[in-house]
Amino acid sequence: MSLSINPRSRQIKPPGIRQFSNQLIHYPDAVNLTVGQPDFPTPEAVKQAGIAAIQANQTGYSHNAGLPALREAASRFISQKFNATYDPIKEIIVTNGATEAIDSIFRTILEPGDEVIIPAPIYSGYEPLIELSGARVVYLDTSHTGLQPDAYSIEQAITPSTKAILFNNPSNPTGVTMDKQRIDEIVEVLKNKDLFILSDEIYSENVFDGQHVSFASYPEIRRQLFLIHGVSKSHSMTGWRIGFIFGDAEWIATITLLHAYNTICASVPAQHATIEALTGSIDAPLEMNKAYRVRRDFVYDRLLKLGMEVEKPQGAFYIFPSIRTYGLSSFDFATRLLQEGGVAVVPGSVFTPFGEGFIRISFAYSMEQLILGMDRLEAFTLNLQRETSPVISASNSKM
Ligand SMILES: Cc1ncc(COP(=O)(O)O)c(C=O)c1O
C-alpha cells in the first residue's frame, strides 16, 4: 500500500502558543498570562437566549448563511458602529467563529502562487490557511516602526502576484490600533488595485482610547473588502463559535457555497444567543473594557518602571514589550521566565520572525494574577540584569 496525504498539510506546524500553554502543566504555581480569551463569563442575557433556543427546540440546521434574524442584527450592528451598509440577504455569512470566516475567504480567493501581504508581528492563525491553498505569505516588518504598517511600505510590497492584504486592527499580539489618518493613507494606496483586502476586526469592541476606525467605513474599497468579525472577544463567547463575513454580494455568493459544503451552517443555538449579543447586550463589552483599561494601565506602568520599551496598547487585551536589552531570544526569555520566574507569557517569535525581541502578555486576567505576574517578572528581570552585569552586582553586594 502506498498511502499519502497532501504534502501541504504535512507542513502545518502546531501553534507555537500551545507549546507554552502545554508546558504550564509542569509548573502548577506559575501565573499564566498567555491566553487570548476574555476571563469574564458570557453576559447573562446572551446565555439565557442560547438556553431558550435549545428549550424551544431551535436545534436544527439554519440557512447556510445563517439565521436571517441574526444577519439582520449583524447588518444593523455594522451600520450603527461603522456606518457601512451590508445587505443581510446577500452580503453577510454567519461562520464558525472568525477562524472559519478567514479560512472560507482564503479558500475562495487564493490560487497556488498567489501572495498575501500581512503586516507583522501578527497572530499565527492566518499563515497555515494561506499555505494550504498553495499561496504564500509576505510579511511586512513593522517591528521598528511602532508595530504599525504604513502606506508607503505597503505600496512597496505589492507585486503582480499579490492577491490580498490582511490587516488585524486592533492587533493580536501588539494591542496597537491604527488611527484614521493611517487608514486613510492605506486606503488611498489600495483603492482601485486588483487585490482583496481582508480586515480582521474581531477586537473592534475592545478599544480603550479613542474610536475604532473600520476599513468598512470606506466605500471606495467596498468591492475589494472582506470584513471579518465575531463575538468571541467582544462578548466573551469564544466557545460558542460565531463569526461573520461581510463582503460584496458577488463574492459572498461563492463563499456561501464553500461554507455550505464545509460546515452547512453555524451552531443554531449559538446563533440565537448572538442575536441577543448584537441587540439587547450590544453594550456588554463596555463593562469588560473598564476592567481591561485598569489592567492595561497597571501592566503598562509596571513594564515602564522595569525600563522596558513598550507601545501602550489601545485595544485588544495584549501588551507587547521589547525584551531586546536582555540579550536572550524571546523563546529563551519566555522559557526561563516560566522555569525560573514562575510566569508564562508568549514569545514574540510565535508571531512571525518579526516578533523576535518581544513577548506577549495577555491582560485578560484578574488584577491579583497580574500583580503577582508583574512582581515575579520584576524579580526575574532583576536577576537577569545581575547575570549580565556581574561587575555591577558584585560591587553592589559589597555595599
Ligand atoms: C486576530 C484574531 N483573529 C481571529 C481569532 C479567532 O477568533 P474566533 O474565536 O472567532 O474564531 C483570534 C483568536 O485569538 C484572533 O486573535
Side-chain angles (χ1 to χ4, degrees):
M1 260 202 319
S2 143
L3 294 175
S4 68
I5 63 168
N6 179 348
R8 282 190 201 128
S9 49
R10 269 195 205 289
Q11 303 301 320
I12 301 175
K13 297 176 216 75
I17 203 159
R18 288 272 162 240
Q19 291 181 21
F20 268 82
S21 341
N22 292 349
Q23 278 197 54
L24 268 169
I25 30 174
H26 306 298
Y27 300 91
D29 296 328
V31 179
N32 179 7
L33 304 181
T34 63
V35 176
Q37 66 178 343
D39 59 323
F40 302 101
T42 299
E44 190 54 35
V46 176
K47 289 199 277 195
Q48 290 307 327
I51 292 166
I54 294 170
Q55 281 177 338
N57 295 317
Q58 301 295 315
T59 52
Y61 295 128
S62 69
H63 185 290
N64 297 127
L67 291 170
L70 177 53
R71 285 182 277 149
E72 276 156 26
S75 173
R76 280 196 302 276
F77 173 84
I78 284 306
S79 148
Q80 188 180 329
K81 296 270 173 181
F82 308 148
N83 198 22
T85 309
Y86 282 92
D87 179 346
I89 313 279
K90 296 190 186 134
E91 298 188 312
I92 301 176
I93 310 174
V94 182
T95 55
N96 282 281
T99 305
E100 194 247 322
I102 297 159
D103 187 40
S104 294
I105 298 167
F106 280 145
R107 287 205 218 199
T108 305
I109 65 171
L110 293 181
E111 296 171 74
D114 285 344
E115 291 175 358
V116 180
I117 298 173
I118 308 185
I122 189 68
Y123 173 58
S124 54
Y126 308 116
E127 182 178 316
L129 304 179
I130 293 168
E131 291 187 340
L132 269 175
S133 308
R136 201 169 71 84
V137 186
V138 177
Y139 287 119
L140 199 62
D141 183 8
T142 68
S143 61
H144 297 283
T145 54
L147 302 169
Q148 304 220 36
D150 64 86
Y152 176 77
S153 35
I154 288 173
E155 189 153 35
Q156 298 301 303
I158 296 172
T159 73
S161 302
T162 307
K163 178 56 91 50
I165 179 161
L166 182 146
F167 298 98
N168 171 219
N169 179 41
S171 156
N172 176 6
T174 68
V176 166
T177 59
M178 294 198 274
D179 66 18
K180 179 158 183 325
Q181 192 189 336
R182 186 174 293 268
I183 300 185
D184 285 353
E185 288 165 8
I186 293 174
V187 165
E188 203 47 39
V189 164
L190 295 180
K191 73 175 188 199
N192 302 324
K193 289 229 169 36
D194 290 334
L195 52 85
F196 288 105
I197 304 164
L198 279 72
S199 188
D200 178 350
E201 301 184 18
I202 186 108
Y203 294 100
S204 74
E205 302 313 291
N206 300 114
V207 169
F208 314 126
D209 309 305
Q211 193 93 49
H212 173 73
V213 182
S214 174
F215 278 95
S217 330
Y218 293 80
E220 57 271 52
I221 52 166
R222 192 182 196 283
R223 217 174 114 68
Q224 297 161 266
L225 180 72
F226 293 111
L227 174 68
I228 295 146
H229 218 282
V231 285
S232 288
K233 314 291 175 170
S234 60
H235 287 75
S236 196
M237 291 177 71
T238 49
W240 296 76
R241 309 307 306 132
I242 297 292
F244 298 98
I245 305 172
F246 299 84
D248 191 86
E250 185 178 348
W251 325 122
I252 288 294
T254 310
I255 301 176
T256 306
L257 285 177
L258 189 137
H259 161 83
Y261 286 117
N262 187 15
T263 185
I264 302 186
C265 65
S267 152
V268 168
Q271 291 192 56
H272 281 282
T274 306
I275 295 174
E276 167 58 28
L278 297 186
T279 55
S281 299
I282 194 169
D283 289 333
L286 299 179
E287 276 307 301
M288 302 188 207
N289 288 345
K290 277 189 202 155
Y292 292 141
R293 201 176 282 114
V294 173
R295 299 168 185 186
R296 184 269 317 254
D297 289 346
F298 167 75
V299 176
Y300 177 69
D301 286 347
R302 289 291 300 264
L303 294 175
L304 285 185
K305 283 190 188 123
L306 291 182
M308 284 191 178
E309 200 184 302
V310 59
E311 297 289 333
K312 187 172 192 178
Q314 313 287 313
F317 30 69
Y318 310 107
I319 188 161
F320 204 62
S322 166
I323 45 101
R324 288 191 187 115
T325 52
Y326 298 100
L328 293 175
S329 72
S330 61
F331 190 88
D332 289 348
F333 184 97
T335 305
R336 287 188 55 185
L337 176 59
L338 176 60
Q339 294 173 348
E340 300 164 28
V343 184
V345 299
V346 185
S349 55
V350 162
F351 307 101
T352 80
F354 299 120
E356 186 48 85
F358 298 86
I359 53 170
R360 188 191 79 173
I361 298 172
S362 164
F363 48 85
Y365 289 95
S366 70
M367 273 308 281
E368 289 71 29
Q369 283 166 296
L370 292 172
I371 291 170
L372 186 57
M374 289 302 112
D375 286 348
R376 289 185 179 183
L377 177 67
E378 181 175 337
F380 171 74
T381 52
L382 284 175
N383 273 339
L384 270 188
Q385 274 157 0
R386 281 190 204 110
E387 226 176 68
T388 49
S389 347
V391 181
I392 298 172
S393 66
S395 61
N396 278 351
S397 64
K398 283 187 205 130
M399 284 160 59

